[in-house]
Each structure stands twice: as structure tokens, then as C-alpha cells.
Amino acid sequence: MSTSRFAQVALPLPISEPYTYRIPESLLDRVSAGSRVVVPVRRRELIGVVVEVDGEQPGQDVEIKSVLAVPDPEPALTAELLETAVWMAGYYGAPLGLSLKAMLPGGMWGKSRVMIRSLDPGRVPGGFGADILQWLERKGGQASIAAASKKFKKPVWDAAGRLARVGAAELVVEPPKTGVAPKTERVMVLDRNKGGGGPTLVERKSLFKNRPRQRELYETLDDLGGSAPLVHLKERLGFSPGVLKALVGHGLSRVEEIETLRDPFADEPGTPPPPQPTKAQDDAIDMLEVLDPGRGALLFGVTGSGKTLVYLEVIRRALDRGRGAIVLVPEIGLTPQTVSRVRGIFGDRVAVLHSGLSEGERADAWRALRSGERRVAVGARSAVFAPVQDLGVVVIDEEHEATYKNAETPRYDARQVATVRAKLEGARLIYGSATPSLDTAARLDKDLIRLNLPDRVGMRPMPQVKLIDLRHEPLVEEVRPIPWSQELDRAVVETLARGEQAMLLLNRRGFASFLICPECGDVWICGRCSISLTVHTAPPTLRCHYCGYEAPLPKECRECGHAIQRMRGIGTQQLERMVTERFPKARLARMDLDTTSTKWSHHKILNAVERGEVDLLLGTQMIAKGLDFPNVTLVGVVDADTALYLPDFRSAERTFQLLAQVAGRTGRGPTGGRVLVQTRRPDHHALRYTVDHDVEGFLAEELETRKSPPYPPVVALANVLVSGTDENAVGLEAARVADWSNALVEERDLPVTVLGPAPCPLAKIKDRWRWHVVWKGESQAIGRVVRYAAERVAGKGGARVVIDRDPASLL
């Protein structure tokens, strides 16, 4: 009877089922559920994750390969994280391997390279094999199979195999990298055993006679706790290599190589803890303390009400009980500010996880959390997978933000994943927002309790909000085409005169929205996407914000040759130029995707504002979230209508949230603040409720608009996106998906409505035509359709089919 054991291994590939591998006897004690393993896949090696041990053995006629290696001393994923990945795969209809891939830093996955090495070129007199061997000789004797295939413009696997069989060449597998190597540093350590714990002061006088610098080094190390990095001793304290070497040579110290954490925030000062909590904050903290493990709460607090203090106090109490915490923020731009606040209380127990860090920094943070060395994880969306030991609290700050939804497979929503993980680990879940999403608000009657922070800290009043009707309000004609009202102009002048700061929001980057010929009307459209190219002036280019295509700014029309091209629509670059000319003495900073593409750029801009080195901060929605600057007394919204009429059912909700959030950036200091919102639709409910800061009123009216026709949260939604390079093939495949969907719904009698097929509002992106089919219905029924489709609906005719459950948008 066979005693072999087998492992089900999920690979980071778009395949639905795990592969089965035999566990060698030498690795039996290393392989368990959650372990990373190196396994052979066809003619390469990949890293996968074990999802089950002792799974069913395939039939006797199936060749079973063996696990090659186990790179980690313990499983990379806990049982709870593994179960969360299984839930993600089922709920979102995503391959399990890709769900697991999302949970680990990119550096922890890898693939091998198969190399072909020349041994005896003369053994093959001619033909394709000889051509390969001659090319290898010119390449120094070896090259990768992939490089050879590229060189000869066809696969070379079969020829390489024949060369290996006759001894003319050999195939060598370079194993995959199993992760980003830990960073190490050399440290000098005192040898305390010398003289039984170190020489006394009297002994030192004799020991270091005529060697004062060695004695100084010894006593410096003693003062530093017995050890210090060599680089610190040499570069900061000025000890020469000779002195360091001499101390080691006399047996009084040794040099060791130790692991060190790559922490990009190590030198950042923590923000001091907030003041004592208010009565409302205390009540919220007490309610969260008695919340059942695995349950959630919505901390519904106006901007400036002190939600952060509540988060920090609940985390502090969890840490005191030996548990850990995760704090999620919607964008990496907010991470430094959040890290500063959390580190101000919890110090070096905090680790940061987000995509703006290097692979090494992310891997080090992951290891520190997995080992328990650090207990609090802070980061954007993917930090929901942080391997925090004994997770006790999960905070989702600004929970209404769409950035919590992942745009690539697996298309998970970090808010939903956090709910599942909190239940599995018995953690308390805190949603926080001044403008909660309609989806979250709808859960208050089901599985979330509501905690209110109705007033700002210090009872400061909410800022006055005024709508400026651009259809009738006098404009400053000199700055056309920017819609710049005289009232907003006066407000900026007065704010700057008082030495206060102002913020200007325009949620459109670039200089102008598009370039048009005034003679023939031709508009420059991206050749890869069905969207106009945006005009940029720094540097002067036409740029597509979807695929990144760039073209020089033309001097004449490509169709009729007309020499003058006109720009239409305004962006932040044009606003910056206007403000610079209008207020030449003001110190300006612009914050959008173009100015924050480099590491720490967000941090530098916000620090400058906080230090008072910026008078006017202008930008896109980046400036609307989570910022707390008491000297900002004016917020101007240059055009509130930019996203109001997008063909998406959440456009009004997104507009209201953006306006309410940016309004909350002012009035946080003793001098108060005001908000001026320029619009051409002051009667729209998304703007009317902004004036009175009436979140409840907006949610109630917006919910009514979602009932007919029904949209979330009234019904659940899934968007099936079909894309490909052949427009006709994509349309045919979308029709096939729609027919399959209708047949399934009818056969199973499911409460689901199938809409489409239809072209997406953005019909082409990155050379791929896009059609979609939308499923609407009861959540469990949508889940059944998603699971059926994940196993049975695959793209044909070169088309790709992607299922996006609970989409953030239908664009």
C-alpha cells in the first residue's frame, strides 16, 4: 500500500484547479497548508502555495511530479488567510492561484529560466540544430530558451531537446528566486566574556595603554548597549577602519552580519497623540470595546470630528491585550500622514505595506508582521492581506472611496475582504467616513452598528458652503476660458492678505481636455483608446490618461492643415498657470497624478503645506481626503460638474462625496473657514445637500433614484467585460455570453436580469475593444451565476472575458 503524501498546489496562473504534487520524504515535515513551494510546471519551475495536504491521488496512469523545494521555515499564509483566499476565489469567480498571489508581496513569487548550453558544436553537422549551436557560440556558449526562440522567431524547444539527447547541448534550469533577500548589515559587538563581563575602569587603563582611540571605541559601544552598525561607527562617529580592526584583533569585539528592516518611515517623526477624547469619542470607544468579535461598526463622523483618535485608542487597547491591527487608507498619498499618527503612539510596532514602496521594503514589512516583530500594519488596499498575528482590529478609513476596489483579477473589494477576514479571526471591524457609501449605509440595518461623531473637535462650526451659479455669476474675463468667478477671485485675495492658506479643487489633470481644429472640427483621439488626448504643457504633449500614449503637440491640423489648433476644457496645469499669473506673490503647489508620480512626492507637498511654505494648494481629488491643516480657511471648487453626468450610476454619489470631503478640509482652526463651489447645476441634489452638510438627506434621496431602475444597494450587480483586438469578434463573443446567461437564468429560474450586450461607454482601451453584459439581481443568485460562469465561460475568437462582481463603475 502506497504511503506517499500529496499536496494540492495553487499556482499564480489563470487556471481554475490546483495541481497535485508528490511530497518527497525529505520535505514531509516542511510542507503544510499555506506553505510556499517550488514545483515543476512543464519546462520551468514556479512558486505556488499549498492549499491542501493529502489530497486525492490522481489515477495510476497520471504522472505525478514532486515538490522541489520549500523556501520558508514556516507557512507563508495562515489558515485564516488561506480560507479568505478560497472565499475570494468563489465570490469573485477568480482563479484561486491569482487570489493567493494578491496576498503576498510580488518578490515572493518567481519563475525559472531554462538555459541551453553548448557542449559539442561539431556533433551536429547542419540544419536548425547547427544554427542554434553556432548562435550559442557567439553568445558565449549559453542563452535562455526564451532568447533563442526570440532570435529565431519560432519555438526552439523541440530542437533543444534533440540537441540534448545527442550530447551536443544541455538544458539547465535556473531555479526561481524565492523572494526578496533580507537586507543585512555588519554590526560590531563587544565580547562581554572577555574578563568576565568586560574590563573594569582600572583594567581599561592598563588594557588600552597608548591606545586611546580603541578605548574610546570600546566605551562608545558600551554606552550604545554593546553593539552598533559599522557604518554608524565609521561615518557618523569617525572611527577609522584601523581602529575597528584593532579592537577585533585584541579579542574585545567581533563583527556580525545581522538582518535589518528596510523601513522607509524609520526617520519620520511621529505625530504626538491627539488630545483627550470628547464625550462622543469616549462613547464610541466604549461601544467598540464591547462589540462582539467579528462584528463591524460604522463610525459616522463629520469631517474634523476626531475619528482618528477613536481608531488609535481601540488599537491601543487591542495591543495591550496582545492582539494586532490593520489600518487601511484609500490612497498611498495618505499613508505618510496616517503612519505618522499611528507611529506617534505605537512607535516601531508599525509596518507599512503599499505599492509605492520597493519590493525589498514591502517584503521586509511583510516578514516583520508575519514574525510578530511588528503588530500594526498601515497601507492601502492590499494591506488587508497583511499577515498580522492574532488580528484584533481592522480599520477602513474613508471607507466610501472607490480605490478600495481592485481593478485587476482578482477584482476584490478590500472592504468585503476585511469583513470576511474579521469574522474568521474574531477581529473588530471599523468603517470610518463623513460621507459613507450608499452600500455601507444600507448595511446598518443588517450587520453593522452605527456610532456617531456629530460635532467637530472643540465644537468648531462646519464651514459655510456657498454655490456659485456660473450661468449668472460675473466672471473674471481676463482669465478665460477658466470659469473663474469674481466672488472666488475676491475670496482668494482676502485669504492671502490675511496670511491664511487656500485650496482649489479641479478634478481634471493636464492643461486642456482636448485639441480641436477650428476649421474642420477634427479632434485628436488616442489611436489605442476611444478617448480624446489630453493636452499637457510640461512637457508639451498630447497624452492618453488610459494607456499612456504620448504624441508631440501639433502645430497644424492633420486633416486640413489649418495652422491654429484650439484647446477646449481645462485641467490643473492650466489652472496653475492662471493662478500663478493672477497671484504672482503667492507660493503655489499642485497635487495631481503628474506631480506625485515619484516616491515621497505626496509627502513632500503635504509637508510643505503643513509648514506654511505653500499659500495655495491646487489639485485633483487627491487634496480632498484626510488632510488636516488648521490654517486653510478657504476651499474653492473650480468646477463641481466634471463628473456629475458620467454614464455611471454612482456619478452623483461620487460628486457629493468629493464636495463634502473637500469642504471638510477647511474650518479646522480657530479662524473658521468657508467653501465656494462653482457649478452650472446648483439645483442638482448632489450639490444642494452639500450646502447644509446634509449627508443623511443625500443618502435618502439618492437611494430613491436607485430603485427605478434598480441599482446597488437595491440589487446586486456583476459586470461581464468582453474585450479583444477584433471588434467584430468581441461583439459576437459578448452576444454569446448574453445568450448563455439568459439560458442559465431561465433554466435555473434565477432572480437575475441580463442586460446587454452593449459597447462599454469607453469602447476601446489599449487597443482592445470592449463590450459588456450586466447581471442584476439578488446577491445569492448573482453569486451562483458568477460561479457557473467562472467555470464555463471562456473567451473565444481571441476575446477575453472578465467577471467583475460588485463593480465600482460601469465605464
Side-chain angles (χ1 to χ4, degrees):
M1 183 177 177
S2 172
T3 58
S4 296
R5 297 179 64 190
F6 302 90
Q8 300 294 321
V9 179
L11 299 168
L13 301 171
I15 50 179
S16 57
E17 296 294 329
Y19 283 12
T20 300
Y21 289 91
R22 190 184 308 276
I23 305 174
E25 188 173 345
S26 60
L27 297 178
L28 282 175
D29 61 337
R30 300 278 306 278
V31 177
S32 59
S35 297
R36 284 195 309 153
V37 290
V38 181
V39 293
V41 182
R42 295 179 182 172
R43 294 172 177 174
R44 57 178 176 166
E45 297 168 350
L46 289 177
I47 292 177
V49 172
V50 176
V51 295
E52 186 182 350
V53 174
D54 287 330
E56 287 189 17
Q57 180 179 353
Q60 297 297 320
D61 57 338
V62 177
E63 179 187 359
I64 304 176
K65 298 180 180 180
S66 295
V67 172
L68 301 177
V70 183
D72 308 313
E74 62 179 355
L77 295 175
T78 62
E80 293 81 7
L81 279 171
L82 201 55
E83 192 171 346
T84 301
V86 172
W87 173 87
M88 284 171 57
Y91 186 86
Y92 296 107
L96 178 57
L98 297 185
S99 296
L100 289 165
K101 185 178 181 181
M103 291 188 161
L104 296 173
M108 297 184 72
W109 300 94
K111 61 182 179 181
S112 63
R113 290 198 310 167
V114 180
M115 310 292 290
I116 178 170
R117 182 179 299 160
S118 174
L119 294 179
D120 188 357
R123 189 176 289 257
V124 179
F128 185 38
D131 293 341
I132 294 175
L133 292 172
Q134 290 173 11
W135 176 73
L136 287 174
E137 289 301 305
R138 294 195 297 271
K139 297 288 288 183
Q142 71 173 15
S144 69
I145 290 287
S149 298
K150 184 177 181 181
K151 162 66 179 176
F152 293 101
K153 298 181 180 179
K154 63 179 180 179
V156 300
W157 276 109
D158 290 341
R162 289 193 297 270
L163 291 173
R165 283 194 293 274
V166 300
E170 66 175 339
L171 298 179
V172 179
V173 177
E174 286 188 351
K177 295 178 180 178
T178 57
V180 177
K183 181 183 178 183
T184 61
E185 67 177 351
R186 302 182 73 204
V187 175
M188 176 166 277
V189 182
L190 287 184
D191 189 347
R192 299 288 192 182
N193 295 324
K194 184 79 172 181
T200 65
L201 290 175
V202 174
E203 291 171 334
R204 290 180 194 181
K205 185 176 181 180
S206 171
L207 187 63
F208 293 108
K209 186 178 181 181
N210 300 323
R211 291 184 288 149
R213 284 293 282 170
Q214 287 185 40
R215 176 171 182 170
E216 185 181 349
L217 172 59
Y218 185 95
E219 292 177 344
T220 297
L221 287 168
D222 199 24
D223 291 341
L224 292 173
S227 66
L230 287 182
V231 66
H232 178 73
L233 295 171
K234 289 189 287 187
E235 296 180 7
R236 295 287 184 89
L237 302 181
F239 290 102
S240 68
V243 172
L244 298 171
K245 186 176 181 181
L247 197 66
V248 173
H250 284 90
L252 296 170
S253 68
R254 62 185 182 278
V255 175
E256 296 180 352
E257 196 97 6
I258 65 168
E259 272 191 34
T260 181
L261 188 67
R262 284 166 282 215
D263 184 353
F265 294 91
D267 296 327
E268 292 294 323
T271 302
Q276 290 300 310
T278 63
K279 173 73 166 57
Q281 290 170 325
D282 262 332
D283 291 344
I285 293 166
D286 291 341
M287 287 292 292
L288 288 167
E289 277 294 288
V290 299
L291 191 67
D292 290 337
R295 291 292 307 279
L298 171 62
L299 189 58
F300 193 167
V302 300
T303 54
S305 59
K307 293 184 287 294
T308 301
L309 184 145
V310 176
Y311 304 153
L312 295 177
E313 179 59 20
V314 174
I315 292 171
R316 185 189 64 77
R317 296 184 185 188
L319 291 178
D320 288 346
R321 292 191 292 268
R323 307 202 70 181
I326 295 174
V327 181
L328 299 181
V329 293
E331 290 191 7
I332 61 174
L334 296 178
T335 306
Q337 191 171 13
T338 304
V339 170
S340 179
R341 291 169 177 170
V342 178
R343 195 187 284 271
I345 293 181
F346 307 120
D348 288 339
R349 288 183 287 180
V350 181
V352 183
L353 288 168
H354 68 63
S355 59
L357 306 179
S358 69
E359 277 195 1
E361 290 166 345
R362 288 198 300 275
D364 281 1
W366 186 91
R367 291 189 189 101
L369 291 165
R370 184 71 181 90
S371 68
E373 179 185 345
R374 301 208 170 183
R375 306 304 303 273
V376 182
V378 178
R381 181 177 56 233
S382 61
V384 72
F385 305 122
V388 174
Q389 289 198 359
D390 197 5
L391 183 63
V393 178
V394 180
V395 172
I396 307 175
D397 194 25
E398 309 289 7
E399 69 80 24
H400 59 277
E401 290 293 341
T403 48
Y404 284 119
K405 185 74 161 72
N406 194 37
E408 301 293 335
T409 303
R411 285 170 162 76
Y412 67 88
D413 188 317
R415 293 163 293 198
Q416 292 173 315
V417 174
T419 301
V420 172
R421 192 172 175 196
K423 288 178 180 177
L424 289 173
E425 304 208 30
R428 295 181 173 92
L429 179 64
I430 309 173
Y431 293 88
S433 179
T435 55
S437 66
L438 211 57
D439 296 314
T440 299
R443 293 175 56 196
L444 288 171
D445 297 330
K446 301 173 185 176
D447 58 347
L448 289 179
I449 68 167
R450 172 174 173 158
L451 305 173
N452 289 330
L453 296 179
D455 301 306
R456 285 186 155 187
V457 173
M459 300 304 292
R460 293 194 177 98
M462 295 296 290
Q464 177 190 5
V465 179
K466 182 178 180 181
L467 301 181
I468 298 175
D469 190 344
L470 291 174
R471 298 170 300 177
H472 309 298
E473 187 70 22
L475 301 181
V476 178
E477 295 296 331
E478 299 94 309
V479 300
R480 289 279 193 177
I482 292 178
W484 188 255
S485 65
Q486 293 181 11
E487 183 169 0
L488 179 56
D489 193 73
R490 285 193 301 271
V492 173
V493 170
E494 293 165 2
T495 300
L496 296 176
R498 293 192 300 267
E500 297 163 358
Q501 294 169 299
M503 295 170 64
L504 299 174
L505 171 72
L506 177 61
N507 202 23
R508 189 186 291 124
R509 54 189 271 242
F511 189 85
S513 301
F514 59 92
L515 195 66
I516 186 170
C517 174
E519 185 69 19
C520 69
D522 180 59
V523 174
W524 286 75
I525 303 293
C526 176
R528 301 182 62 199
C529 309
S530 55
I531 192 84
S532 60
L533 293 170
T534 302
V535 181
H536 285 252
T537 57
T541 54
L542 291 174
R543 188 179 304 165
C544 178
H545 289 171
Y546 284 87
C547 71
Y549 168 80
E550 290 188 2
L553 201 59
K555 296 180 180 178
E556 59 183 30
C557 178
R558 57 185 170 180
E559 293 294 327
C560 69
H562 193 269
I564 300 174
Q565 301 285 281
R566 288 183 181 165
M567 301 177 187
R568 291 289 184 265
I570 61 168
T572 48
Q573 286 186 352
Q574 191 171 170
L575 178 64
E576 180 182 32
R577 176 184 291 183
M578 184 280 288
V579 172
T580 301
E581 294 171 353
R582 189 79 181 161
F583 310 102
K585 294 184 180 179
R587 296 167 297 175
L588 234 65
R590 190 180 96 234
M591 194 167 175
D592 56 26
L593 199 59
D594 299 313
T595 63
T596 58
S597 57
T598 58
K599 191 174 181 180
W600 304 114
S601 49
H602 299 83
H603 199 26
K604 291 174 182 176
I605 293 172
L606 297 179
N607 275 351
V609 177
E610 188 171 23
R611 292 192 300 265
E613 297 169 3
V614 173
D615 302 313
L616 280 170
L617 173 64
L618 61 92
T620 57
Q621 45 82 27
M622 289 182 180
I623 69 172
K625 306 164 188 175
L627 309 181
D628 187 355
F629 301 125
N631 198 40
V632 173
T633 60
L634 173 68
V635 166
V637 180
V638 178
D639 187 351
D641 308 334
T642 53
L644 197 55
Y645 294 105
L646 290 176
D648 187 78
F649 69 95
R650 286 195 173 97
S651 58
E653 182 180 4
R654 298 279 184 242
T655 297
F656 174 78
Q657 290 165 343
L658 179 62
L659 295 178
Q661 289 289 332
V662 77
R665 298 315 107 205
T666 187
R668 291 172 173 247
T671 52
R674 58 175 171 157
V675 183
L676 298 178
V677 180
Q678 298 190 148
T679 177
R680 295 171 187 83
R681 283 299 309 273
D683 57 332
H684 195 286
H685 69 286
L687 282 86
R688 284 190 287 107
Y689 288 109
T690 302
V691 174
D692 298 321
H693 305 282
D694 186 0
V695 179
E696 305 264 20
F698 172 79
L699 291 173
E701 184 164 339
E702 180 66 13
L703 183 60
E704 288 299 314
T705 69
R706 304 277 181 93
K707 292 180 178 178
S708 182
Y711 278 99
V714 178
V715 294
L717 211 64
N719 188 29
V720 186
L721 182 66
V722 184
S723 68
T725 55
D726 186 322
E727 185 177 7
N728 290 331
V730 170
L732 290 172
E733 180 62 12
R736 190 185 71 82
V737 170
D739 290 342
W740 178 90
S741 304
N742 281 310
L744 176 69
V745 167
E746 185 177 348
E747 177 190 342
R748 306 276 176 163
D749 193 24
L750 298 173
V752 173
T753 300
V754 179
L755 303 179
C760 295
L762 292 172
K764 186 171 73 167
I765 293 179
K766 297 181 181 178
D767 286 329
R768 298 186 71 84
W769 294 95
R770 307 165 75 244
W771 283 57
H772 62 167
V773 177
V774 177
W775 301 329
K776 280 185 182 183
E778 188 269 333
S779 182
Q780 287 189 343
I782 291 290
R784 291 179 65 186
V785 178
V786 167
R787 286 188 287 276
Y788 287 138
E791 296 179 0
R792 296 168 177 84
V793 176
K796 294 182 179 180
R800 179 193 304 155
V801 178
V802 170
I803 302 170
D804 186 6
R805 187 172 182 183
D806 304 326
S809 137
L810 293 177
L811 295 177

